[in-house]
Amino acid sequence: MKLDDRQRRLLQRTFLDYQPTADFLDHPLVVSRAEGLYYWDVEGKQYLDGIGGIFVATLGHRHPRLVDALQRQLGLLTFAPPMHGISDVALDFIERIGQVSPGGLTYVKPFSGGSESIEAALKFTRQYFRQTGRPGKTKFISRYLGYHGATFGAMAASGTGRRKSPFEPQLGGFIKVFPPTHYRDRFSSWDECNRFAAQSVADVIVHEDPDTVAGVLVEPIGNTGGIITPTEEYFRLLREICDRYDVLLIFDEVITGYGRTGAMFAAQTFGVTPDLLCGGKGLSSGMVPLGAMLARQDMGMAFDGPGDAGVNFAHGHTFAGHPLACAVGLAVIDEIVTHDLATRAVQLGERLAAGLERLRQYGVVREVRGRGLLRGVELVRDERSLAPFPELGRALKRTALAEGLILRIDPSWFAVAPALVASEAQIDELCDRVDRSLHQALDLVTRQGHTA
Ligand SMILES: Cc1ncc(COP(=O)(O)O)c(C=O)c1O
């Protein structure tokens, strides 16, 4: 699409997340309408949303049931006084998400996004240990290539170098380990590689001194590393290690939650229950900002001391538990349960994975990874060298937009995560558009002389 002078001027008064404005001005996208799996830009061009905005539109855009829930709530209550009370709909949301959460995570605080939920989980963990007689347990272990949010604590826990280096020094007490993919070429089997990666977490805890380690924070499937998908055993081992050293296991399910991987939460998909779980993004299908921190009920009870002792979780946000957000979140969960969209994600996910596997014909695919409707494709220059191919990803970003397709591209891998309400035909359309975009991107880089 083309920008007019006014749009160009206004775009120079703001910024797009994690990208240079100049790049964006070269290949702009200004959208004005969306429905289901499609966006339309201001010139009327249609785009297939292969990534739910950014892992957000679980039920597609403007799902009628969510529009109804929002409209109903608009007629009742649009703000509750946080220092005095809570809305009835926030209580309904807390009850509902507790019914579908992995075992026992019924202590819930709704927030306005992923970073807020992560930030709260980090603070909750530290205060929990302080008030249960283990004040020395303060450090967090998380993974390189992981992303947990843009605020200072969530950023410190993230392992994304370039997104962090402008803001050094980072907060102290955040230690990184590598995800299993980092070691994959050193092992003959993926299982063995995962065992090693899990053991590295135990080694770090021991060498840091378990009395100083509070939590292990991981995305069950790591987006920013290219849909890194560990084995179920990896998570079982992490659970055992955390139990052994009295360390809390914290899952960042901002992307993996709400049916996407084949169960309501990836914790259930992988068969492991964390002590805390953070949600955001798809919890409202993008209609309103919503996140949530879920914790073990007994942990919540540690904050339930006598009022005169001043025991409380020393934390809050003005918009946390906003009635409009809770009304929509409630409807999202109901819709996923009523239509068993988690099972649908498994069925459609197999179709999507098969379509992505067909891209191997181009000789630039190392792996197709993921579960359910969260899939990633790693791009390499050729299948022999397995060298990353960032130029191809950068070209793909342009050709996909031209083809009317929105993906997450970074730039040696790309991810797809369409709405759980997609039809089989839409999954096929998505695979076709990805195929055409990749084909054109390869032509582009070949013409530019970038291939090996
Ligand atoms: C895994 C993960 N955790 C946390 C966040 C932060 O969420 P938010 O951008 O809503 O603050 C993100 C955002 O991309 C994410 O992908």
Side-chain angles (χ1 to χ4, degrees):
M1 64 166 290
K2 290 205 170 30
L3 295 173
D4 62 30
D5 286 347
R6 176 177 164 272
Q7 287 165 333
R8 194 165 276 277
R9 258 196 333 274
L10 290 176
L11 283 166
Q12 276 162 337
R13 289 198 210 163
T14 184
F15 66 94
L16 266 95
D17 295 5
Y18 297 111
Q19 61 177 297
T21 300
D23 282 2
F24 178 69
L25 292 178
D26 278 348
H27 305 282
L29 176 65
V30 183
V31 291
S32 55
R33 192 160 70 82
E35 190 162 338
L37 272 83
Y38 300 95
Y39 276 114
W40 284 266
D41 70 17
V42 287
E43 292 171 348
K45 177 174 169 175
Q46 186 204 61
Y47 298 80
L48 175 58
D49 186 1
I51 197 75
I54 185 73
F55 305 103
V56 166
T58 322
L59 303 181
H61 297 277
R62 294 177 50 244
H63 190 285
R65 174 146 186 208
L66 305 189
V67 172
D68 281 353
L70 188 61
Q71 278 171 345
R72 205 172 334 107
Q73 190 59 41
L74 275 170
L76 290 169
L77 175 79
T78 56
F79 194 73
M83 301 294 284
H84 299 83
I86 188 167
S87 66
D88 53 355
V89 67
L91 287 178
D92 293 342
F93 173 76
I94 289 162
E95 180 182 44
R96 191 72 184 103
I97 197 166
Q99 288 164 346
V100 296
S101 68
L105 299 190
T106 52
Y107 189 82
V108 179
K109 178 73 178 174
F111 289 112
S112 303
S115 302
E116 271 190 17
S117 309
I118 294 286
E119 211 67 40
L122 298 172
K123 289 174 72 177
F124 190 82
T125 298
R126 280 197 178 165
Q127 194 184 330
Y128 168 74
F129 278 122
R130 187 167 297 236
Q131 93 192 5
T132 53
R134 292 156 290 172
K137 286 174 96 57
T138 60
K139 294 180 201 159
F140 294 96
I141 297 173
S142 53
R143 298 187 308 203
Y144 288 112
L145 298 176
Y147 180 73
H148 300 291
T151 49
F152 259 90
M155 172 173 63
S158 299
T160 45
R162 279 177 301 115
R163 285 188 178 186
K164 297 173 66 177
S165 40
F167 314 108
E168 295 289 347
Q170 298 289 319
L171 298 181
F174 289 84
I175 299 151
K176 301 290 172 310
V177 294
F178 285 102
T181 38
H182 185 75
Y183 304 108
R184 64 189 157 165
D185 294 330
R186 302 183 202 172
F187 291 92
S188 54
S189 90
W190 180 233
D191 285 344
E192 230 185 298
C193 172
N194 275 263
R195 271 176 225 130
F196 179 84
Q199 180 57 39
S200 74
V201 176
D203 294 343
V204 169
I205 293 174
V206 168
H207 287 271
E208 284 293 328
D209 178 356
D211 288 344
T212 68
V213 181
V216 169
L217 169 63
V218 292
E219 296 158 77
I221 295 180
N223 166 45
T224 32
I227 311 300
I228 295 174
T229 313
T231 59
E232 288 175 18
E233 187 187 16
Y234 173 82
F235 292 106
R236 265 205 318 279
L237 291 170
L238 285 193
R239 180 69 273 176
E240 280 169 29
I241 291 161
C242 286
D243 288 345
R244 193 181 319 144
Y245 298 110
D246 189 20
V247 167
L248 299 177
L249 182 59
I250 309 167
F251 274 7
D252 177 343
E253 294 233 26
V254 169
I255 287 180
T256 55
Y258 347 109
R260 184 150 296 282
T261 69
M264 186 57 80
F265 291 98
Q268 293 142 332
T269 301
F270 287 103
V272 164
T273 305
D275 302 293
L276 290 120
L277 185 154
C278 299
K281 289 193 187 280
L283 189 50
S284 71
S285 198
M287 191 161 283
V288 278
L290 177 64
M293 182 199 80
L294 281 64
R296 282 184 355 227
Q297 188 61 33
D298 65 290
M299 288 180 66
M301 292 302 96
F303 293 82
D304 195 18
D308 53 5
V311 177
N312 63 76
F313 179 29
H315 189 74
H317 287 285
T318 300
F319 291 112
H322 195 283
L324 296 178
C326 289
V328 173
L330 205 52
V332 168
I333 296 170
D334 279 346
E335 196 66 13
I336 293 169
V337 172
T338 307
H339 298 286
D340 194 9
L341 294 178
T343 303
R344 180 85 179 136
V346 175
Q347 293 158 353
L348 289 178
E350 278 160 20
R351 195 176 186 98
L352 175 60
L356 296 174
E357 285 289 347
R358 285 196 286 277
L359 301 175
R360 286 189 185 277
Q361 64 176 302
Y362 297 114
V364 291
V365 170
R366 175 166 183 177
E367 278 180 347
V368 178
R369 301 191 278 257
R371 289 280 190 112
L373 279 178
L374 176 59
R375 302 281 170 171
V377 176
E378 184 178 352
L379 300 171
V380 288
R381 279 179 202 282
D382 59 80
E383 289 163 332
R384 227 169 0 92
S385 74
L386 299 179
F389 203 172
E391 300 89 345
L392 180 59
R394 281 193 278 273
L396 179 63
K397 198 162 177 183
R398 293 207 292 277
T399 56
L401 267 190
E403 190 60 41
L405 174 64
I406 298 178
L407 301 171
R408 166 84 167 89
I409 304 168
D410 193 13
S412 282
W413 54 268
F414 69 89
V416 279
L420 275 44
V421 295
S423 64
E424 276 82 0
Q426 284 171 325
I427 296 295
D428 295 345
E429 181 191 354
L430 172 57
C431 294
D432 287 348
R433 288 199 200 194
V434 170
D435 189 312
R436 284 199 297 275
S437 307
L438 187 64
H439 193 142
Q440 288 160 20
L442 270 166
D443 278 354
L444 206 63
V445 288
T446 307
R447 266 186 274 126
Q448 289 167 350
H450 275 305
T451 43

